[in-house]
Amino acid sequence: MVESTRVLRQSAVRVIARREFEQLLRGVAWYLAIAATMFGMAWFLGNDLENLRRTNVLVSVNPFQVPVLTAVLLLAFLLSVAAVISVARDRQRGTLEVLFYGPIDEASYLGGKLLGQLGVYIVALPILLAGIAALSLFTGFAMTATLLGTLAASIVPAAAVIALGLLLSSLAPSVRSAIILLVVAIAVLVGVGIAATFIGLMPIENPSSPIIPVRDSLTRIAALIDWISPFSHLERVMEQLTIGATGAAFATAVRSLVFAALALAGATVALRKRGVRRHED
């Protein structure tokens, strides 16, 4: 009985993953995202090349680091948007209720969603690599083996980003509220760090200034968010591999895996409590 349940769950995960994968690849939005990342990389490299010419610098260390990191972060962000919309859209359309009449439970449904969207990300990496190779030929900037490693390593934190989107989507009753949750989450994950940096740059002459405890609190909160945020994991693991800090990159990847597991567990509980029936806004 346990074996048959496991086989049914694995089959359900494969079906959901294939459905999600094909749905994303059939849409125009994903190809527009790929085009946007290519344009962004070309723009960053063009600026770097112009700056090198102006300063008469002949050598640039890791010229692809910032463009590739920006491209990967953009792809991961767009996947988080797709994940946030995903569950809420299926519930709103009634698809979720129909699916759960079959041998599908919350864990297999969310696991299939994660694998399907992660598959699309993996498919995008060779396209991204081909774009980097073309830019390398046009600019003369050399590709390195480290670049291949950083792209491969980005898969783990990208999975955590998708898991975060699935968690937010499972908490939301509708697509609109799911998008609002994503906006709030991004505002917290990014806005606190920006605010901490801004206040940290402010000159404070009075040691009893009330800004000091605010600055210290924001710095601690920003450090905590930076430690747990999957977007920070994605940025950090690529930067750590670029400088050869393999051990630190491995630790960051482990944190991403733990985050993804906790987010999926939370999404499973939220989906079970909220139910699969359609709700009105």
Side-chain angles (χ1 to χ4, degrees):
M1 181 66 179
V2 175
E3 180 66 20
S4 61
T5 301
R6 184 178 65 83
V7 172
L8 284 174
R9 175 171 286 181
Q10 290 177 348
S11 177
V13 168
R14 287 194 297 268
V15 171
I16 296 296
R18 189 184 308 115
R19 172 180 175 268
E20 189 73 10
F21 181 82
E22 293 175 352
Q23 191 173 41
L24 285 172
L25 286 185
R26 284 198 299 264
V28 179
W30 185 244
Y31 299 99
L32 292 176
I34 295 291
T37 57
M38 295 295 185
F39 177 80
M41 285 197 304
W43 184 80
F44 271 107
L45 283 175
N47 281 345
D48 288 344
L49 193 59
E50 183 62 27
N51 290 333
L52 290 175
R53 287 173 178 170
R54 288 177 180 176
T55 55
N56 293 321
V57 177
L58 300 178
V59 178
S60 176
V61 179
N62 299 321
F64 286 104
Q65 180 180 354
V66 174
V68 171
L69 177 59
T70 303
V72 168
L73 282 171
L74 177 59
L75 288 178
F77 171 74
L78 292 172
L79 277 177
S80 71
V81 174
V84 159
I85 295 174
S86 182
V87 178
R89 180 188 57 200
D90 281 351
R91 181 190 285 115
Q92 198 168 18
R93 291 177 176 176
T95 305
L96 195 57
E97 186 175 359
V98 173
L99 287 174
F100 273 66
Y101 281 122
I104 295 177
D105 59 8
E106 293 84 1
S108 58
Y109 171 77
L110 292 169
K113 287 280 186 180
L114 174 64
L115 290 179
Q117 296 197 17
L118 190 60
V120 173
Y121 179 84
I122 293 173
V123 166
L125 292 182
I127 302 174
L128 194 61
L129 188 60
I132 295 170
L135 290 172
S136 177
L137 290 175
F138 281 116
T139 61
F141 290 138
M143 292 177 58
T144 62
T146 304
L147 182 61
L148 299 176
T150 56
L151 285 176
S154 72
I155 295 173
V156 177
V161 171
I162 297 170
L164 172 63
L166 291 174
L167 172 60
L168 296 176
S169 189
S170 298
L171 292 169
S174 66
V175 174
R176 183 172 61 188
S177 55
I179 293 175
I180 292 174
L181 273 179
L182 176 63
V183 172
V184 172
I186 295 297
V188 172
L189 293 176
V190 178
V192 173
I194 295 175
T197 301
F198 177 76
I199 292 182
L201 294 175
M202 293 177 60
I204 301 176
E205 298 178 357
N206 186 358
S208 61
S209 172
I211 297 179
I212 294 178
V214 175
R215 181 196 61 191
D216 295 342
S217 297
L218 275 177
T219 300
R220 295 190 189 97
I221 296 172
L224 176 62
I225 290 176
D226 187 66
W227 196 81
I228 64 175
S229 169
F231 293 100
S232 296
H233 294 169
L234 181 56
E235 180 179 0
R236 190 175 296 112
V237 76
M238 296 185 71
E239 290 179 344
Q240 288 166 340
L241 284 176
T242 300
I243 63 175
T246 307
F250 178 78
T252 303
V254 170
R255 287 206 304 271
S256 289
L257 286 175
V258 172
F259 181 94
L262 292 175
L264 278 181
T268 301
V269 173
L271 187 59
R272 186 176 294 130
K273 286 187 175 181
R274 182 166 289 281
V276 300
R277 293 184 180 275
R278 177 178 177 176
H279 298 277
E280 298 294 335
D281 262 342

